Amino acid sequence: MSDPERPEPPERPYVTGGDRSAEDGAVAATGMGGAMDLGATEAETLEPRTPEHRPGGTDGPGGTDGTGGAGGTDGGRDARARSLWSDAWHDLRRNPVFIVSALVILFLVVISIWPSAIASGNPLHCDLAKAQDGAESGHPFGYNGQGCDVYTRTVYGARTSVTVGVLATLGVAFLGSVLGALAGFFGGAWDAVLSRLTDVFFAIPVVLGGLVLLSVITSNSIWPVIGFIVLLGWPQLSRIARGSVITAKQYDYVQAARALGASPSRILLRHIAPNAVAPVIVVATIALGTYIALEATLSYLGVGLKPPSVSWGIDISAASPYIRNAPHALLWPSGALALTVLAFIMLGDAVRDALDPKLR
């Protein structure tokens, strides 16, 4: 029992800053127990801090004076959680591969829309008197076997190749994503039928299929080539979309939305699709360069685009017999095709690295 007449010990004053270390040394020197040290620590924790001592105060770290810190305005903005897309864009802006490939693709898009900005000649104008001639003033790439300006045809050929690649990619991405998402979300008979159908299309060789299907079409437009690429290209995107949807629909937030009574269309469009579209974008970006190369291959074989259309594949095919006498006529369209395909593949690799958290 405590003695009621025993006087209470005086309260220990609150100590802050450098005085605290001196008092701790004094307490240790007296040989007193850890109870007093613990009490002092608790008192310091419970003591209300002035704005000067708060982590987010006006004068402390992270305050409005711009010194930065976890609790300040700048620190709170940096520590704010970013979404997948904002985080990916943050990484892409610092990736030199993405910057270089994006600049090359931007240049190709610009000359595809306005080829006359850098090429003032007519790509269909040819002069047999200058056939296979080398470079000269105003014609830096020389002339091909028909006397056409190689530089002008190379610039105008970008319009056809980029247009075919972009439109084919959009068609493949749309058709493959829709069919794959429906198969992965609903499953059952729909999934089984679509899986067997994709196996049938995967068994068709692309080049052989193009030779068979496009050889009976006499149109000189780009639409038969685009339709063929979409016809044989959607199974790959469908498989990717199906796997992404199957993975995304197992997440807890999807189960919670289903438990709250959300309709299947709302769950698919609002909750699953935004989180399953990243792999589709990556594969479609890489495939765009492949489709440009496929159009050039079919045009080289004579079943894709046909003259008087201007295409890199047509120019490569026309320059092949004169490779010894006029190698420049083959070099420039081939180099433009290779650079374009490489730029899109590099862009797809950079986007994949940014969207895949496992690669960070």
Side-chain angles (χ1 to χ4, degrees):
M1 296 181 63
S2 60
D3 188 1
E5 298 181 356
R6 183 177 181 180
E8 294 291 337
E11 294 184 359
R12 184 177 183 179
Y14 172 69
V15 181
T16 59
D19 298 335
R20 175 66 188 274
S21 59
E23 182 172 351
D24 288 343
V27 172
T30 57
M32 303 182 68
M36 182 174 291
D37 291 348
L38 179 60
T41 303
E42 293 176 350
E44 182 180 0
T45 304
L46 297 177
E47 182 74 16
R49 297 184 178 183
T50 61
E52 290 77 11
H53 297 92
R54 288 175 185 160
T58 56
D59 296 334
T64 56
D65 58 352
T67 56
T73 304
D74 295 338
R77 185 183 300 111
D78 295 339
R80 185 183 305 166
R82 294 194 298 258
S83 64
L84 173 64
W85 301 105
S86 61
D87 198 15
W89 175 242
H90 180 270
D91 293 341
L92 287 175
R93 288 181 299 174
R94 290 158 175 78
N95 190 346
V97 175
F98 171 79
I99 295 175
V100 173
S101 60
L103 290 177
V104 173
I105 293 173
L106 180 61
F107 174 74
L108 292 172
V109 172
V110 170
I111 66 173
S112 298
I113 299 175
W114 299 289
S116 59
I118 61 174
S120 59
N122 186 355
L124 301 180
H125 176 72
C126 302
D127 186 2
L128 289 176
K130 297 182 178 181
Q132 302 182 14
D133 286 353
E136 62 180 31
S137 177
H139 306 277
F141 293 174
Y143 299 88
N144 62 8
Q146 300 296 324
C148 303
D149 184 16
V150 177
Y151 172 77
T152 303
R153 291 187 63 87
T154 302
V155 172
Y156 276 84
R159 169 184 290 180
T160 303
S161 299
V162 172
T163 302
V164 171
V166 171
L167 294 180
T169 302
L170 293 177
V172 168
F174 176 78
L175 183 61
S177 299
V178 171
L179 296 179
L182 293 177
F185 183 75
F186 293 103
W190 175 264
D191 188 16
V193 171
L194 184 65
S195 298
R196 301 292 76 79
L197 186 62
T198 55
D199 292 339
V200 172
F201 278 94
F202 275 128
I204 301 177
V206 177
V207 177
L208 179 60
L211 291 174
V212 173
L213 295 178
L214 296 177
S215 61
V216 299
I217 300 176
T218 59
S219 175
N220 291 331
S221 66
I222 63 176
W223 297 109
V225 179
I226 295 175
F228 167 75
I229 295 176
V230 173
L231 181 63
L232 293 187
W234 70 266
Q236 181 185 12
L237 269 296
S238 177
R239 287 283 182 88
I240 300 297
R242 174 182 174 272
S244 300
V245 170
I246 291 177
T247 302
K249 75 176 184 178
Q250 306 297 329
Y251 293 152
D252 293 338
Y253 61 87
V254 176
Q255 303 297 330
R258 184 179 287 110
L260 292 174
S263 62
S265 60
R266 181 180 179 83
I267 294 176
L268 181 60
L269 297 177
R270 295 290 301 273
H271 300 286
I272 294 181
N275 296 281
V277 72
V280 176
I281 294 178
V282 172
V283 176
T285 305
I286 298 176
L288 200 157
T290 305
Y291 297 153
I292 293 177
L294 178 59
E295 178 272 323
T297 302
L298 296 175
S299 299
Y300 177 85
L301 296 175
V303 296
L305 299 178
K306 303 174 180 64
S309 299
V310 181
S311 170
W312 290 334
I314 296 176
D315 290 349
I316 293 173
S317 178
S320 297
Y322 310 102
I323 186 172
R324 292 186 177 180
N325 299 327
H328 59 272
L330 178 65
L331 174 64
W332 293 110
S334 301
L337 175 63
L339 180 63
T340 303
V341 174
L342 179 62
F344 280 104
I345 292 178
M346 291 171 58
L347 180 69
D349 290 340
V351 173
R352 179 199 60 190
D353 296 342
L355 292 178
D356 192 353
K358 297 179 181 178
L359 299 178
R360 296 175 186 170

